[in-house]
């Protein structure tokens, strides 16, 4: 079993190769360590190893980790966020990757305004059209951005998607390319105060393809931090 440091080094080498293959600089891609399947001790080790960005998908699992380590690193909430859980994550997670409906946007705005904060969000887009995945349909994103424009405490900085799990990662390429092309079309329309820059896409099975298609943040669990049974 490779050590954490070995996994980090190997992953960074793979990121560098994927960037080189697509004419990008590896500094354009940030690693997000998905720690939902590992213990508090492992999260501490991840931060100690120099990985600053941590991701969790359920507040009830993240709470003890955040209580112990929230003063360290940059925290991302990547799971489906229920409206009644906004109060728990606002002000703790610097980024929300799963904005997918108007009711959630309104609640994020309300809680952020009450706390005197701005919340940075990624719109979750269901590029693949799978029934099992959350997210806005690609054709709905333009109108959604217009609807949430008055919610000035919600800052859309990027788009997020998940590709189907494929035996051949190359099969995921159209999904990642679709998200990049959607971002570029939205920016031409000027629907946000500042251009949308970020693309949160790519996981352990397919992150190299995602990087070749423009990912700026890759969400890596098993390949980077491992998986602990029972966690």
């Amino acid at each position: 079993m490779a050590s954490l440091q070995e996994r980090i080094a190997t992953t960074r080498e793979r990121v560098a190769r994927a960037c080189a293959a697509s004419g990008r600089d590896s500094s354009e891609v940030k690693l997000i360590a998905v720690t939902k399947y590992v213990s508090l001790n492992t999260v501490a080790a991840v931060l100690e190893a120099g990985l600053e960005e941590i991701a969790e998908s359920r507040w009830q699992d993240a709470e003890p980790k955040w209580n112990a380590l929230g003063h360290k690193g940059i925290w991302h909430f990547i799971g489906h966020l229920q409206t009644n859980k906004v109060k728990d994550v606002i002000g703790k997670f610097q980024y929300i990757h799963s904005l997918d409906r108007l009711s959630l946007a309104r609640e994020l705005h309300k809680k952020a305004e009450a706390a005197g904060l701005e919340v940075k969000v990624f719109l979750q887009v269901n590029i693949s059209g799978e029934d099992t995945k959350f997210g806005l349909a690609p054709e709905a994103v333009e109108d959604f951005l217009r609807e949430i424009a008055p919610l000035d405490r919600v800052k859309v900085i990027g788009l997020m998607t998940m590709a189907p799990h494929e035996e051949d990662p190359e099969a995921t390429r159209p999904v990642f390319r679709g998200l990049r092309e959607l971002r570029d079309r939205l920016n031409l329309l000027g629907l946000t105060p500042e251009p949308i820059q970020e693309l949160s896409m790519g996981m352990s099975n397919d992150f190299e393809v995602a990087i070749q298609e423009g990912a700026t943040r890759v969400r890596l669990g098993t390949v980077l931090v491992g998986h602990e049974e029972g966690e």
Side-chain angles (χ1 to χ4, degrees), residues 2 9 43 45 47 49 54 59 82 87 90-92 94 118 120 126-127 131 133 160 176 207-208 229:
V43 179
L47 290 164
I54 299 294
W59 171 243
Q82 296 173 309
K87 65 183 186 302
I90 202 83
K92 299 182 179 75
Q94 289 94 326
E118 177 183 76
K120 295 175 182 176
N126 187 358
I127 294 287
D131 292 338
K133 286 187 167 58
M160 183 273 262
F176 300 135
F207 71 93
E208 286 146 312
E229 291 302 325

Side-chain angles (χ1 to χ4, degrees), residues 127-159:
I127 294 287
S128 66
E130 292 174 277
D131 292 338
T132 55
K133 286 187 167 58
F134 293 106
L136 295 156
E139 61 272 16
V141 175
E142 183 180 331
D143 285 344
F144 185 77
L145 282 171
R146 289 193 169 96
E147 283 185 298
I148 68 169
L151 306 178
D152 59 358
R153 296 289 179 156
V154 176
K155 182 176 182 180
V156 178
I157 65 158
L159 305 179

Side-chain angles (χ1 to χ4, degrees), residues 104-114 150-154:
L104 179 58
R106 286 173 171 157
E107 188 65 14
L108 286 166
H109 172 78
K110 177 183 171 183
K111 291 292 192 287
E113 189 171 49
L151 306 178
D152 59 358
R153 296 289 179 156
V154 176

